[in-house]
Amino acid sequence: FSAAPVCVGFTTSFFDLSTIDSLVSGTNDSITTWNWNFADGTFSNQQNPEHSYLNSGTYLVNLSVTSDKGCERNANKPVVVWAAPQNPIITEDTVCLGKNAVLFATSALQDQVRWYESPSLLQNHFFAGNLYQTPPVSMEQTYYVITRTPNGCVSPFVPIHAYLYPE
């Protein structure tokens, strides 16, 4: 079977690649049951299940298949689950009308900080880095930042604000 490494809280797909050769006919038996043990206390009997892990680590996943003729095969493979990054640490700014705000976000582990206009990974980030200088502020503005690890795991979105001094 195959499964890609995954980040904590995200779903990985498991793909059954099993075959069972019949010693009598020389052909492959039909596999009729699948028993997955994801090594975290959860199981599945689907042929190609999806699974999310709650904790990082390496899990020794087991797949046991049985053919229509009662033959069995087992396979064990490690699946790596990467830790989610910490939320970025932010410093907001308050400025006068028409001035640029300077917003700061950093990660304790030096993961990359990415900036978004709304809290959705479906859009592209508009800036990557720790220090962002806004365009001139005409009203209070909210941006969203995440940290992203080198292996692609992301933190939850954290709002960061550019405030205006009262007039």
Side-chain angles (χ1 to χ4, degrees), residues 14-102:
F14 290 81
F15 296 100
D16 169 43
L17 305 173
S18 304
T19 59
I20 298 179
D21 295 331
S22 173
L23 298 176
V24 177
S25 66
T27 61
N28 288 340
D29 291 358
S30 295
I31 296 173
T32 56
T33 61
W34 296 264
N35 291 301
W36 295 86
N37 179 339
F38 297 115
D40 65 350
T42 61
F43 306 87
S44 175
N45 59 5
Q46 297 177 347
Q47 181 178 4
N48 297 307
E50 293 183 338
H51 185 64
S52 296
Y53 287 92
L54 301 177
N55 297 298
S56 62
T58 301
Y59 295 83
L60 188 59
V61 175
N62 173 265
L63 171 61
S64 176
V65 296
T66 306
S67 76
D68 56 347
K69 296 183 178 60
C71 296
E72 292 185 22
R73 291 281 189 265
N74 288 291
N76 294 298
K77 289 192 178 179
V79 173
V80 175
V81 180
W82 294 309
Q86 296 177 347
N87 288 355
I89 301 162
I90 62 168
T91 303
E92 300 176 316
D93 196 8
T94 303
V95 296
C96 296
L97 182 67
K99 299 294 181 183
N100 303 78
V102 177

Side-chain angles (χ1 to χ4, degrees), residues 96-163:
C96 296
L97 182 67
K99 299 294 181 183
N100 303 78
V102 177
L103 305 176
F104 185 73
T106 188
S107 166
L109 300 175
Q110 300 304 315
D111 295 324
Q112 185 180 46
V113 176
R114 292 189 176 187
W115 298 71
Y116 294 80
E117 292 180 345
S118 66
S120 171
L121 290 174
L122 298 178
Q123 65 176 329
N124 289 326
H125 64 280
F126 67 86
F127 182 73
N130 298 98
L131 190 68
Y132 176 66
Q133 182 172 335
T134 70
V137 177
S138 60
M139 62 181 182
E140 289 185 1
Q141 180 68 44
T142 302
Y143 299 97
Y144 298 87
V145 291
I146 61 166
T147 51
R148 184 177 191 276
T149 64
N151 55 23
C153 298
V154 296
S155 70
F157 281 96
V158 173
I160 185 169
H161 302 92
Y163 294 108

